Amino acid sequence: MASKSKTVYVCRQCGAESPKWMGRCPKCGEWESMAEISVPARMPAERRAQSVLNVATLRPTALSQIECSETQRTSSGNGELDRVLGGGIVPGALILIGGEPGIGKSTLVLQMAINMPQRRVLYVSGEESAQQIRLRAERIHSTSADNCFIVSDTHLENILSYIDDCRPDIVIVDSIQTMENDNVDSLPGSISQIRESTSLLMHVSKERNLPIILIGHINKEGSLAGPKVLEHMVDVVLQFEGDRNHMYRILRSIKNRFGSTDEIGIFEMQNDGLREVHNPSELLLSQHEQALSGIAISAAMEGMRPFLIEVQALVSTAAYGTPQRSATGFDIRRLNMLLAVLEKRADFKLAAKDVFLNIAGGIRVNDTATDLAVIGAILSSNTDLAINQDVCLAGEVGLSGEIRPVTRIEQRIGEAAKLGFKTIIVPRFNGKNDFGKFGISVCQASKLTEAFKVLFG
Ligand code: TYD
Ligand code: MG
């Protein structure tokens, strides 16, 4: 179906649109980021508005007069997924789940579809055949689901007619990058195709109040492939991450129009599918017979959830001229900053040493309260003195070597106490609260040197 199309330029970084090409995006300032895309002639703006909004809301209404029934959320049959979505799937929501290839996105959505026996789910796969999906269902021991309809197709026009035929309660599109729209003459996976497919699905979802889940791949830089517009268009963006060589997977909410982005879901990839992890700390701490040097435990938070993670460091004399610094699961720039702080403020000479840092379990932490454990692990490895196994830490380290306050201190202390730790080192600036109720000894430190005294005597 050939239709009139026009050419516009879209910034790959921020999604800004311009009628002519520019070397630098006027909105975000990125160089060479404008890509040429062709967009089909659209419906007139007012018709689009009609189809998205219902007629009653087209007139401006006083805020107090707007009637709002409690949003009916549908449980996805998966506690961790519900938690990240803010309590379940909202009717008409367009949800994007992004992640690297092989991380388990297809498994997650298939398990979800199977666990919702009362709902009709249409699973459209552009990547695998129906047989392959059946094999995956066999692997997770759930082949009896007759609420779940599978179709392997990539043409959006066909998919819209499947939606008409099948009348599903939920649609899954795996993946948005494989979908093609005959109105756009560029290859599947290109910016124009992704944009058009998403906008078409968005209209279907809003018009029929039908939740649609899109799967999206992530490119090498770690952002969702396709322009940022994709993120602007959808209601919810979830990111599925983890290390493929490890079992743990974290589902993070990056954007959520219906809930908080502070929630994370934790899963474990097993031979027969993803298992929800309700108690992450117990799994992330590895068990050692005796205390080893180079290990420190951090009472970390990801979003609203406290969990204890093991930070491992290895410090050794540099074999080559330039010392190596490497970090897995932790920001390398932050590691370099902490090393500089140690050098300058605590007088530890690490400039000629290789430093390797690793967060156990293959997870990535963003919590700055991990700083203190990172420093503890590095010093422990450097001095070859083990930190007592029943001590854990939480504190952000500032440039002058001060220990800065952290958020949700009580939750961190509570989690440490629950897991049987005897001592926790926390920032003095978090104030004097009644920490006695936790039944754990709370040492408050304001400078690195005070923390070292507790750790190494
Ligand atoms: P998959 O869901 O296909 O990933 P994605 O859709 O994100 O590309 O899952 C990929 C990996 O998960 C694959 O390497 C095999 C592994 N896996 C398990 O370990 N256990 C299982 O039960 C399943 C279904 C997959
Ligand atoms: Mg897949």
Side-chain angles (χ1 to χ4, degrees):
M1 192 171 67
S3 67
K4 235 171 56 190
S5 64
K6 59 173 184 170
T7 302
V8 295
Y9 296 86
V10 173
C11 171
R12 285 194 203 89
Q13 283 297 318
C14 68
E17 216 176 275
S18 146
K20 61 181 200 303
W21 188 83
M22 276 180 269
R24 187 180 190 194
C25 169
K27 202 162 161 206
C28 68
E30 184 72 17
W31 289 95
E32 306 264 348
S33 65
M34 303 299 268
E36 176 180 345
I37 73 169
S38 62
V39 290
R42 298 284 197 108
M43 313 186 222
E46 63 274 21
R47 249 189 67 209
R48 228 180 313 158
Q50 286 270 355
S51 65
V52 177
L53 303 164
N54 70 45
V55 186
T57 57
L58 278 179
R59 219 175 322 113
T61 314
L63 185 59
S64 58
Q65 302 299 310
I66 298 174
E67 280 177 38
C68 183
S69 53
E70 180 70 18
T71 339
Q72 289 285 322
R73 292 177 188 257
T74 312
S75 165
S76 65
N78 183 319
E80 296 291 300
L81 185 57
D82 278 352
R83 174 201 282 268
V84 183
L85 288 171
I89 300 173
V90 175
L94 190 60
I95 300 168
L96 175 67
I97 302 182
E100 287 174 18
I103 206 78
K105 302 179 294 298
S106 305
T107 311
L108 179 71
V109 288
L110 181 64
Q111 271 181 282
M112 183 202 88
I114 291 167
N115 285 336
M116 307 177 79
Q118 284 87 26
R119 310 278 159 177
R120 286 168 78 85
V121 183
L122 175 65
Y123 187 138
V124 182
S125 179
E127 311 210 320
E128 290 154 315
S129 66
Q131 287 79 7
Q132 275 171 307
I133 295 172
R134 159 90 195 189
L135 285 176
R136 181 177 290 126
E138 273 170 23
R139 187 160 176 192
I140 57 181
H141 311 302
S142 316
T143 47
S144 57
D146 44 16
N147 66 311
C148 183
F149 298 84
I150 313 281
V151 61
S152 176
D153 204 330
T154 57
H155 288 276
L156 261 176
E157 287 75 7
N158 298 350
I159 290 162
L160 300 185
S161 68
Y162 299 137
I163 294 178
D164 281 337
D165 288 350
C166 176
R167 307 228 145 261
D169 299 311
I170 290 177
V171 176
I172 296 168
V173 177
D174 187 359
S175 64
I176 188 70
Q177 276 100 349
T178 54
M179 293 301 138
E180 49 188 318
N181 190 329
D182 290 344
N183 287 343
V184 180
D185 40 31
S186 57
L187 291 171
S190 62
I191 297 180
S192 8
Q193 283 287 7
I194 294 179
R195 217 170 101 113
E196 272 318 297
S197 308
T198 311
S199 104
L200 242 161
L201 288 167
M202 179 176 85
H203 286 124
V204 173
S205 130
K206 301 297 168 211
E207 237 166 47
R208 310 188 186 191
N209 230 5
L210 171 70
I212 301 186
I213 298 181
L214 309 175
I215 304 284
H217 289 299
I218 272 184
N219 57 19
K220 283 197 202 73
E221 292 85 52
S223 61
L224 280 160
K228 270 266 189 278
V229 249
L230 191 56
E231 289 185 26
H232 295 318
M233 281 190 214
V234 300
D235 300 306
V236 180
V237 182
L238 306 181
Q239 189 154 317
F240 206 29
E241 55 186 48
D243 183 333
R244 245 184 301 162
N245 302 319
H246 287 85
M247 306 177 289
Y248 303 109
R249 303 283 182 270
I250 292 185
L251 188 65
R252 274 178 218 276
S253 159
I254 294 177
K255 162 179 178 179
N256 193 347
R257 286 191 182 141
F258 317 112
S260 135
T261 50
D262 272 345
E263 290 290 0
I264 61 163
I266 305 170
F267 299 88
E268 189 181 356
M269 179 60 96
Q270 295 186 329
N271 266 334
D272 53 356
L274 288 160
R275 192 179 67 83
E276 299 173 32
V277 175
H278 300 294
N279 207 347
S281 305
E282 280 170 15
L283 291 161
L284 289 168
L285 296 179
S286 41
Q287 305 295 324
H288 307 290
E289 297 271 300
Q290 70 206 56
L292 302 171
S293 71
I295 290 180
I297 308 296
S298 172
M301 297 280 304
E302 278 297 336
M304 317 265 279
R305 278 175 99 168
F307 58 85
L308 297 183
I309 50 172
E310 183 178 308
V311 180
Q312 306 170 338
L314 180 67
V315 178
S316 64
T317 312
Y320 305 104
T322 326
Q324 299 185 59
R325 266 83 216 264
S326 103
T328 314
F330 191 77
D331 183 7
I332 182 84
R333 282 168 305 181
R334 194 144 188 107
L335 171 65
N336 283 327
M337 180 208 96
L338 294 176
L339 289 172
V341 170
L342 271 179
E343 183 100 27
K344 181 94 181 165
R345 307 283 178 201
D347 221 14
F348 284 92
K349 297 285 167 248
L350 296 166
K353 303 274 179 95
D354 287 342
V355 179
F356 304 98
L357 191 79
N358 181 33
I359 306 292
I363 60 162
R364 185 168 63 80
V365 283
N366 296 326
D367 184 8
T368 47
T370 317
D371 290 354
L372 205 49
V374 168
I375 287 196
I378 291 171
L379 288 188
S380 162
S381 173
N382 191 42
T383 54
D384 210 13
L385 289 172
I387 295 175
N388 223 329
Q389 275 181 302
D390 52 20
V391 177
C392 69
L393 309 105
E396 181 181 328
V397 175
L399 288 179
S400 50
E402 82 280 20
I403 301 177
R404 298 166 51 86
V406 297
T407 54
R408 300 179 194 269
I409 189 72
E410 300 219 335
Q411 259 176 290
R412 299 177 197 262
I413 297 177
E415 182 75 4
K418 201 173 87 193
L419 285 154
F421 283 82
K422 300 273 175 348
T423 307
I424 180 166
I425 304 179
V426 299
R428 165 145 314 131
F429 299 114
N430 265 101
K432 276 256 165 284
N433 289 329
D434 175 26
F435 295 136
K437 62 180 182 226
F438 295 108
I440 177 172
S441 138
V442 178
C443 301
Q444 295 196 294
S446 59
K447 285 207 205 67
L448 280 181
T449 41
E450 292 169 36
F452 299 157
K453 272 213 193 80
V454 181
L455 289 176
F456 306 108

